[in-house]
Amino acid sequence: MVARIYRPARNAMQSGKGKSQDWVLVFEPEVARSIDPLMGYTSSGDMKQQIKLRFDTLEDAESYARREGIAYVVQPAQEPTIKKVSYPDNFRFDRKVPWTH
């Protein structure tokens, strides 16, 4: 049973940073999912796939995994690149693509 500790990315549909500052511990699947022959549903007998634990810091998540004897892998957090965009640049005369309605 291996767990993965990561910090989720910001939601692309909203400008806020909600739920992207916490560190998350999830368990990797031990058993592959199986397909039900009648209905085609996918299912698994592995109940640990449903567990998602949130922590304030990476150290808290690591100490929990060590305390509970869980093997874990840390996925480093990726900081977003901030692109400087200026509204008046849309109307510059030396713009590569002319601005039209």
Side-chain angles (χ1 to χ4, degrees):
M1 160 176 70
V2 178
R4 182 169 52 111
I5 299 173
Y6 69 98
R7 196 167 86 190
R10 182 180 65 83
N11 185 353
M13 296 296 171
Q14 298 179 2
S15 61
K17 296 180 182 178
K19 297 184 181 177
S20 67
Q21 301 300 320
D22 295 339
W23 288 85
V24 179
L25 183 139
V26 293
F27 292 96
E28 294 296 326
E30 291 180 348
V31 180
R33 293 180 181 243
S34 60
I35 299 174
D36 179 47
L38 180 63
M39 297 297 290
Y41 299 144
T42 57
S43 63
S44 174
D46 186 15
M47 299 303 288
K48 294 201 181 214
Q49 285 181 225
Q50 300 175 10
I51 299 173
K52 184 185 276 191
L53 301 172
R54 294 188 176 274
F55 299 93
D56 291 332
T57 63
L58 174 61
E59 291 77 24
D60 290 343
E62 287 180 328
S63 66
Y64 175 81
R66 274 190 241 110
R67 185 173 63 241
E68 297 297 323
I70 301 168
Y72 65 92
V73 176
V74 176
Q75 190 175 15
Q78 296 179 354
E79 296 299 325
T81 57
I82 299 173
K83 300 174 188 87
K84 184 179 177 188
V85 179
S86 176
Y87 181 70
D89 288 344
N90 291 335
F91 306 103
R92 289 178 52 149
F93 69 92
D94 59 346
R95 187 177 159 156
K96 290 182 175 135
V97 178
W99 182 83
T100 62
H101 279 293

